[in-house]
Amino acid sequence: MIPTIEYIEKKFEEYNHLMFGGRLPKLPVVLSDAKTFLGQCVARATTLPNGLKKYSDFELRINTRVDYPEEIIEDTIIHEMIHYFIFYHNLHDTSAHGDIFISIMQSINANYGRKLSISHHATKEETEQAVSTKRTWHVVAVIYFKNGKVGVKVLPRVMPKIINFCEQLKGEKTISSISLYMTDDPFFNRFPTSVALRINYVEKDELTKNLANAQELIISNNQVINKPK
Ligand SMILES: [Zn+2]
């Protein structure tokens, strides 16, 4: 079926009451014929002084380019509503489909017999990231925190900067270890290259997968060298 705005608004209300405790305010619904996504929940992000983001001006976009089965359209609406729920409540997830997203999604699947997934429903951010598939060599620091979280930092390929970055983090009590890698996997294109101490949290499984072909580096005698096999 090709959904109409009325249909999407009706479904939104239904799922809002059924799955989200009726706590999501109505938002503008827009039909889209973009090739890159089935659904999108877009929002304006403002960065707060503490570095966290606050979201406003939400919009729900649903694709009408392709005639999908109704179930897929319903799942797309629910999927985007989870993004909206997370944005709206300023829950800071570990990534676009991070721990919070997955746990809400799994509970909806279990309680309402849905088949929601995290694929084919790119957020605006993901779509932009997907555009850059160029292979560029990156030096990547992987930071393991004592609380189990994992962070990624793409560093400039300048030896003193890499060494200095690692030195600075060494004394940090929340960190358990740091590993360095050289990789051209496009996954890392999404992260800004910098030495600022702001770390990008990632999902461990996703990171492991994307580091599969990376060369591990070590710092030895003030040099960054390949880790001996
Ligand atoms: Zn999504």
Side-chain angles (χ1 to χ4, degrees):
M1 72 175 288
I2 305 280
T4 61
I5 288 183
E6 293 69 32
Y7 171 87
I8 297 162
E9 286 178 341
K10 197 177 119 251
K11 287 288 172 185
F12 178 92
E13 269 318 299
E14 181 188 330
Y15 298 139
N16 189 17
H17 286 282
L18 186 66
M19 303 168 180
F20 297 93
R23 285 195 288 165
L24 292 174
K26 257 193 162 176
L27 78 175
V29 173
V30 176
L31 304 177
S32 166
D33 73 342
K35 287 179 185 159
T36 45
F37 63 87
L38 285 182
Q40 249 187 357
C41 178
V42 295
R44 198 158 61 90
T46 318
T47 305
L48 302 173
N50 63 6
L52 294 176
K53 287 193 165 66
K54 189 183 187 312
Y55 296 96
S56 60
D57 302 344
F58 307 98
E59 193 176 286
L60 175 63
R61 297 180 185 166
I62 299 294
N63 202 296
T64 50
R65 171 179 285 269
V66 181
D67 187 356
Y68 288 108
E70 182 169 13
E71 203 190 346
I72 297 214
I73 294 166
E74 291 173 341
D75 281 354
T76 302
I77 295 170
I78 301 167
H79 177 111
E80 298 312 324
M81 288 176 77
I82 301 176
H83 282 304
Y84 180 36
F85 183 88
I86 291 171
F87 283 146
Y88 182 74
H89 294 286
N90 276 306
L91 308 174
H92 300 284
D93 209 348
T94 50
S95 66
H97 301 113
D99 298 344
I100 299 173
F101 188 97
I102 304 257
S103 86
I104 298 173
M105 183 184 85
Q106 285 173 342
S107 99
I108 288 175
N109 282 344
N111 290 318
Y112 304 102
R114 307 294 325 183
K115 293 194 191 77
L116 303 178
S117 71
I118 58 169
S119 57
H120 313 301
H121 304 266
T123 60
K124 181 162 179 284
E125 205 184 3
E126 291 155 358
T127 309
E128 281 165 4
Q129 287 160 0
V131 171
S132 176
T133 54
K134 248 188 11 223
R135 298 201 85 94
T136 312
W137 287 100
H138 294 297
V139 171
V140 175
V142 177
I143 299 114
Y144 298 93
F145 292 89
K146 287 179 180 156
N147 64 7
K149 283 191 175 185
V150 183
V152 156
K153 192 77 197 175
V154 174
L155 299 172
R157 290 174 57 193
V158 181
M159 227 182 255
K161 290 193 173 174
I162 298 167
I163 295 169
N164 188 44
F165 178 83
C166 294
E167 284 296 321
Q168 274 186 281
L169 288 190
K170 254 184 196 161
E172 188 50 60
K173 286 188 182 67
T174 54
I175 294 174
S176 63
S177 68
I178 305 169
S179 300
L180 289 172
Y181 296 91
M182 181 71 122
T183 172
D184 67 346
D185 194 297
F187 172 76
F188 297 97
N189 292 353
R190 73 192 63 188
F191 305 109
T193 301
S194 87
V195 291
L197 293 175
R198 193 183 298 164
I199 310 295
N200 313 285
Y201 292 111
V202 290
E203 287 165 55
K204 219 174 277 180
D205 293 349
E206 200 180 13
L207 179 67
T208 309
K209 195 176 71 197
N210 289 296
L211 278 175
N213 298 312
Q215 165 67 52
E216 190 165 0
L217 305 173
I218 55 165
I219 297 173
S220 171
N221 293 326
N222 253 353
Q223 301 272 314
V224 181
I225 58 165
N226 285 348
K227 186 180 181 180
K229 296 246 150 96

